[in-house]
Structure formats: C-alpha cells, structure tokens
Amino acid sequence: MAASGDEEGAEGPRCQHRSTAMLDVPFLPFCAFLGTLGLLCVAMVGTWCQHWRGGFSLDGSSRTFNWHPVLMVTGLVVLYGAAALVYRVPSTWSGPKLPWKVLHGGLALGAFVLTVLGLAAVFRFHNAQGTPNMYSLHSWMGLGTVLLFSCQWAAGFGAFLLPWAPAWLRALYKPIHVFFGSTILMLSVASCVSGINEKLFFSLKNETTAYKLLPAEAVFANTLGLLILIFGVLVVGALARPSWKRPDSNSPDSRQ
C-alpha cells in the first residue's frame, strides 16, 4: 500500500509538471503577439478619431482634442508597456546591463513625452472651448497617473542610471520600482478605458444615434477599450511570470 501511495504521490507532481509545461508559452512569440496587439490599439484609436471624430488639427477645436486619446494610448499604455518588458527579453540576461537600462529609461521617457503632449492637447481644447479642466474622475485618475509616472521615472533615473547611487539603495528601491511600474500601467489602462467611455457619452449624447442604441462608433470604441485592457493584463502577467524574470546575479556586470 505504501508503494502504491508513493507511486500516486510521484505521479501527482509529474502530472502537474506536464500541465505546467503545456501552458508554458515561449517569450518571443508572446512578445510578438503583444507587439501586434499594441500596434492594433494605436491603429484603432487613430482610426476612431480620424473616421468618426473628424481628424486632427492644432486649432483648439475638437480635432485638437483628438490628439489626446491617440497620444495617451500610444505613450501611457503601449510604449510604457514595451519599456516595462525590456528586462524580460532573454538577450538582456547576460553581458553589461547598462545598455538595457538606457533602453528601458529611454522608452519610458518617450512614453512620458507623448503623455505630456497628450495632456497639452486636452488642456488646449478645454481652454479654447471654455470647458472646465479637471472635473471628472477620468481627469483626476489620468493626471494622478502622469504625476506618479514622472516620480517613478525620476526616482528610477537617480537610483539605477546615475553612477553614484549606492548598491544598498538600489537593492532597497528595486522592488518598489517594480511594484509601481505595474501599478502605473494598470492605472494608465483604467484612465484610457474610462476616457473612451466618457468621450462616447459626450459625443453621442446629442447625435442621431444615442450611445445606448450601440451605433457602429460605440462598438468600435468599446472594442478598442477591451483590447487596451487585454494588453495591460498581458503585460502585467508577463512581468509577474517567474520564468521570464531576469536571473539575479552577483557578477560585476549585473551590478553595473
């Protein structure tokens, strides 16, 4: 009986290992899928603003506002997600770490620049139209996310890129940096999704087909919101996956 129990106990871990292996997805194909999904989100938000919202301009009209969703989705979600996944690329696990730090910081900086331009577009539109700023939950969440993002980038630059930051400070701040990285991404997704919903309510309220009747624009924009949400969840899932994390090492290259 004991032997039978041992066999059953051994079979359990083997079955669990096989099921885990079947669910295991290689990182590079996953990354290619995620990149395609991110590009699709950018293409869809651009199509929405061009086809249904009148296109783009810098004259302070609603076409100026259209830069806001495009730049926010591109910078605060897609480019920021790419920056977050830099250290999951297997080729970053060996050799000097400094080039990958620069790439990570550069992508995050690019995302921040696009985000600031997106904020400038919406403030310009509101001021030109006499619309109050910062009155909705979406605006509070979005501005709070951008402020947290700026603090995260500045702290990361000071702790990981400046040469005089001591090793103990980097070790202390690293888990905080990782935690807030995922938090900012999910706040970015929540801000974009709530912004899409808010825009649909305002835009379709007085038009021929109300939002509650689910016109083609509402279907398209709601689908965009779902894709943005899926993109954010997949990025956070990739960041949390143990087998895709950069192995810790005490080598001089890793401490660079």
Side-chain angles (χ1 to χ4, degrees):
M1 295 296 293
S4 177
D6 291 340
E7 291 176 359
E8 291 176 358
E11 184 67 21
R14 283 199 296 269
C15 291
Q16 184 178 3
H17 177 73
R18 283 198 297 269
S19 63
T20 303
M22 286 188 293
L23 294 174
D24 192 24
V25 178
F27 175 78
L28 292 182
F30 173 85
C31 196
F33 169 77
L34 201 57
T36 303
L37 181 59
L39 291 176
L40 179 60
C41 290
V42 174
M44 286 186 67
V45 70
T47 301
W48 176 35
C49 293
Q50 180 66 44
H51 181 71
W52 279 286
R53 295 293 107 213
F56 305 90
S57 76
L58 298 175
D59 58 2
S61 67
S62 60
R63 293 184 300 167
T64 300
F65 172 87
N66 289 341
W67 287 108
H68 175 67
V70 172
L71 292 171
M72 288 303 193
V73 171
T74 304
L76 206 55
V77 176
V78 177
L79 199 56
Y80 185 85
L85 289 176
V86 164
Y87 291 121
R88 299 303 186 268
V89 179
S91 57
T92 68
W93 294 359
S94 60
K97 197 174 179 180
L98 182 60
W100 301 107
K101 288 184 179 182
V102 173
L103 177 61
H104 173 74
L107 288 173
L109 181 60
F112 181 72
V113 170
L114 293 181
T115 300
V116 171
L117 292 176
L119 287 178
V122 70
F123 283 132
R124 175 175 172 79
F125 166 72
H126 283 172
N127 293 336
Q129 301 298 319
T131 304
N133 293 306
M134 304 304 301
Y135 64 89
S136 67
L137 176 61
H138 162 68
S139 61
W140 294 358
M141 188 187 309
L143 186 60
T145 302
V146 175
L147 292 176
L148 189 59
F149 183 10
S150 62
C151 293
Q152 167 89 340
W153 192 91
F157 180 81
F160 300 120
L161 277 175
L162 295 182
W164 53 76
W168 65 266
L169 178 61
R170 297 181 182 184
L172 179 66
Y173 177 63
K174 181 179 177 181
I176 301 174
H177 185 77
V178 172
F179 169 78
F180 277 104
S182 298
T183 300
I184 291 168
L185 178 61
M186 294 314 298
L187 287 174
S188 302
V189 169
S191 299
C192 289
V193 170
S194 64
I196 291 171
N197 194 242
E198 183 179 285
K199 180 61 176 176
L200 286 175
F201 273 118
F202 286 147
S203 299
L204 300 178
K205 180 172 61 175
N206 298 318
E207 295 188 7
T208 305
T209 306
Y211 185 21
K212 64 182 179 181
L213 298 178
L214 203 63
E217 179 181 356
V219 174
F220 188 88
N222 286 346
T223 303
L224 168 63
L226 287 176
L227 292 179
I228 291 172
L229 180 60
I230 292 171
F231 179 88
V233 169
L234 290 179
V235 172
V236 172
L239 294 176
R241 192 178 182 91
S243 61
W244 289 350
K245 291 183 178 180
R246 190 181 196 274
D248 290 330
S249 175
N250 292 323
S251 66
D253 287 338
S254 297
R255 293 198 303 268
Q256 182 180 12

